[in-house]
């Protein structure tokens, strides 16, 4: 049993991970300002602290009150398009807040951490599966802010013995198989939940951002990985983390799916025609990115249970039908 602090534990990937950690017998404290997260998403077995990482005093008091064995750091902003328009808020909310967290960890000698990094740290890649050795040249402020945090962590490994795993997620998708947790962002920006809002009659159509990318059907290719598989890799990472070591793992299925393929799969799953309209490219989007996740498999013994896009979409669709207004209502 470990005593764990989870920042952003009321958010989408955070809440699924908290549930997995609690079920594995860990003692979990969630620290979340509920700007994006939902109090109802936090597992009943976890302790909840309503706090903001931007408030160094609040961060200090949570560390002073608990002797944590490790930290899982999910809190942050994640909207690529918004980061292009408001870069400084991304550097503040991602980089500055993470520095506050790392400073408290150093003061309190907490030397094990798992960080929610992203495939957006790689930027425009060449269309082959991305390995952890692929050069990190992010093309959005979001990706650059996440890469800056990875560097703050690596420098902390060398300077004061932090042990850290950066999990570079590809596209988190789906919902817990029992329908108890799912994705609920306001406003919704991600492809699969927006498509399902069309299927549920809440939107008229899906906008496809760009159809002239150098990909087989002209739309962007991504690697959609189930949120419970992501939750599991966090558990494996924190349980095996040692002080003084930096690790980075890509977390994806290795399967690339285009936006058009996602829409088609959602049409099959929902039985709804899901009208699609082609619009301009969205700034900050790479054409194609999918994972070579063999390193996580080898070092963490992690294999995603969900390997089919349709199965992932089906779990998200079950969540949407049972919770048409997300966690509220
Ligand atoms: N996308 C789209 N229409 C939408 C939302 C997203 O065509 O309404 C595309 C987006 O350009 C990207 C892919 O779907 O190629 C996945 O986007 P999402 O925002 O879900 O995740 P991201 O890749 O930005 O993390």
């Amino acid at each position: 049993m470990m005593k764990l602090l989870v920042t952003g534990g009321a958010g989408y990937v955070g809440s699924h991970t908290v549930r997995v950690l609690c079920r594995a017998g860990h003692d979990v404290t969630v620290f979340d300002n509920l700007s994006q997260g939902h109090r109802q998403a936090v597992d009943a077995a976890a302790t909840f602290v309503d706090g903001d990482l931007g408030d160094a005093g609040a961060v200090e008091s949570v560390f002073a009150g608990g002797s944590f064995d490790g930290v899982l750091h999910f809190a942050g902003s994640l909207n690529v398009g918004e980061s292009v328009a408001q870069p400084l808020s991304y550097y503040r909310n991602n980089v500055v807040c993470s520095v506050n967290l790392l400073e408290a960890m150093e003061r309190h000698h907490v030397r094990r951490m798992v960080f929610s990094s992203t495939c957006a740290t790689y930027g425009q890649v060449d269309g082959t599966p991305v390995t952890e050795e692929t050069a990190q040249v992010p093309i959005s402020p979001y990706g650059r802010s996440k890469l800056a945090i990875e560097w703050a962590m690596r420098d902390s490994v060398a300077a004061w013995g932090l042990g850290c795993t950066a999990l570079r997620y590809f596209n988190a998708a789906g919902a817990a198989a029992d329908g108890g947790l799912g994705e609920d962002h306001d406003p919704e920006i991600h492809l699969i939940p927006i498509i399902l809002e069309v299927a549920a009659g809440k939107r008229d159509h899906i906008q496809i951002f760009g159809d002239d990318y150098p990909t087989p059907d002209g739309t962007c290719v991504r690697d959609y990985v189930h949120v419970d598989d992501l939750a599991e890799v966090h558990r494996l990472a924190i349980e095996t983390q040692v002080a003084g070591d930096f690790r980075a793992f890509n977390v994806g299925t290795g399967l690339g799916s285009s936006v058009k393929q996602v829409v088609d799969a959602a049409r099959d799953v929902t039985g709804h025609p899901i009208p699609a309209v082609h619009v301009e490219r969205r700034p900050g989007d790479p054409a194609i990115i999918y994972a070579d996740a063999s390193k996580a498999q080898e070092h963490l013994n992690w294999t995603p249970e969900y390997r089919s896009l349709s199965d992932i979409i089906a779990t998200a669709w079950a969540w949407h039908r049972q919770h048409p207004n997300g966690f509220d209502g």
Side-chain angles (χ1 to χ4, degrees), residues 32-95:
D32 197 302
N33 66 6
L34 300 179
S35 66
Q36 296 289 315
H38 303 273
R39 180 67 185 85
Q40 307 92 302
V42 178
D43 193 281
T47 303
F48 179 73
V49 178
D50 187 342
D52 194 315
L53 288 177
D55 177 352
V59 179
E60 173 56 28
S61 59
V62 79
F63 276 88
S67 36
F68 297 111
D69 300 307
V71 174
L72 295 102
H73 179 32
F74 294 91
S77 303
L78 49 67
N79 181 334
V80 173
E82 184 182 70
S83 81
V84 175
Q86 300 163 31
L88 296 181
S89 86
Y90 274 67
Y91 284 97
R92 175 167 300 284
N93 201 37
N94 290 348
V95 181

Side-chain angles (χ1 to χ4, degrees), residues 243-263:
D245 186 30
F246 179 83
R247 307 182 291 182
F249 297 110
N250 289 339
V251 192
T253 61
L255 179 75
S257 304
S258 73
V259 175
K260 277 188 184 164
Q261 286 174 319
V262 175
V263 174

Side-chain angles (χ1 to χ4, degrees), residues 71-73 112-116 164-165 167 234 237-238 241:
V71 174
L72 295 102
H73 179 32
R112 281 183 277 180
M113 164 174 229
V114 175
F115 170 54
S116 300
C164 183
T165 298
L167 294 176
H234 285 80
I238 196 67
Q241 185 66 52

Side-chain angles (χ1 to χ4, degrees), residues 78-81 118-120 142 169-172 183 188-195 203 205-210 213 219-224 257-260 262-263 277 279-282 284-287 289:
L78 49 67
N79 181 334
V80 173
T118 167
C119 66
Y142 165 66
Y169 312 167
F170 285 63
N171 287 57
E183 188 166 11
E188 192 47 74
I189 53 159
H190 292 111
L191 179 64
I192 291 173
I194 289 179
I195 289 173
R203 294 179 190 245
H205 60 268
I206 174 81
Q207 294 187 324
I208 294 182
F209 298 146
Y213 282 100
T219 65
C220 288
V221 171
R222 296 286 180 275
D223 182 338
Y224 296 88
S257 304
S258 73
V259 175
K260 277 188 184 164
V262 175
V263 174
V277 173
V279 298
E280 290 286 284
R281 292 181 178 193
R282 182 174 71 175
D285 269 343
I289 182 157

Side-chain angles (χ1 to χ4, degrees), residues 6-30:
V6 182
T7 75
Y12 173 44
V13 184
S15 62
H16 285 77
T17 304
V18 166
R19 190 154 91 156
V20 164
L21 294 171
C22 289
R23 287 182 179 174
H26 297 296
D27 177 345
V28 177
T29 299
V30 169

Side-chain angles (χ1 to χ4, degrees), residues 18-19 56 73 81 132 135 155 160 162 178 182 209 216 284 294:
V18 166
R19 190 154 91 156
H73 179 32
E132 292 78 3
D155 290 335
W160 52 273
L162 174 70
D178 68 0
F209 298 146
S294 52

